[in-house]
Amino acid sequence: MPITKAELSKERRHLIGIMQEVNYGRIHQLQVRDGEPAFTPVTRVERQIKFGGENRPRPEAGLDDFTLKRNVIELFETFDRLGDGTIKQLEIKGGLPFGMTVEEQAV
């Protein structure tokens, strides 16, 4: 069954909005607390600008609800498994998560 944006927590909807706004770039030092993204004063957003390219926010950024793409579902499944940790870098392409580097506690 498809998952929609409206079904998500406020924190996850906020992260989706940031990714759609950035479109191409990275988010650095994003905290994950109990599986939820948490923007802190050390969190930084890096926007990649391509001359002659699409640098505006994604068209979906203005929508209250839509079905989530598989990349976004996988991102949140990873957050759920992580529980608590730091996303050192989350790479965004086309407003979607593309890959990330995670920092977590050693056991």
Side-chain angles (χ1 to χ4, degrees):
M1 184 164 194
I3 300 173
T4 66
K5 179 182 173 187
E7 297 175 58
L8 300 175
S9 66
K10 177 181 77 166
E11 293 82 9
R12 290 181 180 202
R13 288 192 311 268
H14 178 67
L15 177 57
I16 287 174
I18 296 290
M19 290 189 300
Q20 291 174 331
E21 182 72 28
V22 168
N23 203 3
Y24 288 90
R26 293 173 187 84
I27 299 173
H28 299 274
Q29 300 300 321
L30 177 65
Q31 298 295 309
V32 178
R33 297 183 185 137
D34 293 326
E36 295 294 327
F39 287 82
T40 69
V42 298
T43 304
R44 296 288 179 259
V45 175
E46 175 184 312
R47 186 182 317 270
Q48 188 176 36
I49 298 176
K50 296 182 180 188
F51 300 110
E54 185 59 50
N55 295 304
R56 292 184 300 235
R58 298 289 307 162
E60 301 87 358
L63 300 177
D64 290 330
D65 200 20
F66 50 83
T67 301
L68 301 182
K69 302 268 185 179
R70 184 73 204 144
N71 299 41
V72 178
I73 294 169
E74 286 181 30
L75 174 69
F76 293 142
E77 288 173 348
T78 303
F79 284 8
D80 291 337
R81 284 191 305 276
L82 179 61
D84 294 311
T86 301
I87 308 303
K88 294 195 61 86
Q89 178 177 286
L90 173 60
E91 188 173 359
I92 303 159
K93 290 186 179 184
L96 296 170
F98 181 75
M100 68 182 178
T101 303
V102 179
E103 182 177 290
E104 52 193 320
Q105 289 287 3
V107 183

